[in-house]
Amino acid sequence: AHNAIVREQVAAHGGFEVKSQGDGFMLAFPTARRALRCAVAMQRAMQARALRQPEPLRIRIGLHRGEVIREADDFFGPHVILAARIAAQADGGTILTSALVKELTASTGEFTFGPGWDVELKGISGPQRVYAVEWAA
């Protein structure tokens, strides 16, 4: 059910699956706005499913935008690492974004962000500011 929801929402929002490992996905989108819309849709779909299940699934999502290194069908580079580290900071049911994603999407008024805070991320120099997206309907 988890994989089906993720893949359904990625397709609906114009993204693509770079790879999956276990229950984790690396996804890519043409814009930060589409990625954020997809993240919100995934959380809402998981929440709707949870209301019908004795043991709900909760996903954590981390978003960042940047240039990547592409080799065959995989992506590499510091921006990929940063996105993964941001996702690792999220709790189940949470969407965290980098400051850049917030900056690129906040002016639309479509998304609401909580106050940012600085985190130290493994392998990343210096603190990074992250923001939680308020997605509950």
Side-chain angles (χ1 to χ4, degrees):
H2 164 271
N3 292 355
I5 288 171
V6 169
R7 289 181 172 126
E8 176 183 305
Q9 294 304 324
V10 168
H13 290 88
F16 69 96
E17 180 180 333
V18 177
K19 65 181 172 182
S20 65
Q21 292 180 311
D23 61 358
F25 285 84
M26 179 191 298
L27 308 170
F29 294 84
T31 68
R33 192 171 174 188
R34 281 192 192 188
L36 197 45
R37 282 179 180 160
C38 182
V40 169
M42 280 191 264
Q43 291 292 17
R44 289 179 177 161
M46 287 291 181
Q47 182 181 48
R49 184 187 183 283
L51 297 174
R52 302 182 311 266
Q53 301 297 319
E55 294 187 36
L57 294 174
R58 294 177 36 156
I59 59 173
R60 58 187 184 166
I61 299 172
L63 300 172
H64 178 62
R65 173 137 177 112
E67 297 294 322
V68 298
I69 299 164
R70 186 174 188 164
E71 288 184 15
D73 292 331
D74 205 355
F75 291 169
F76 300 92
H79 295 288
V80 173
I81 294 167
L82 185 54
R85 297 293 190 265
I86 290 170
Q89 293 289 311
D91 294 323
T94 302
I95 302 168
L96 289 183
T97 72
S98 65
L100 179 56
V101 169
K102 179 186 182 282
E103 182 180 328
L104 291 170
T105 59
S107 65
T108 67
E110 185 176 349
F111 308 104
T112 303
F113 297 87
W117 69 94
D118 290 337
V119 294
E120 295 289 335
L121 303 174
K122 179 182 171 185
I124 307 291
S125 177
Q128 299 293 314
R129 181 145 299 246
V130 296
Y131 295 86
V133 177
E134 298 174 12
W135 59 266

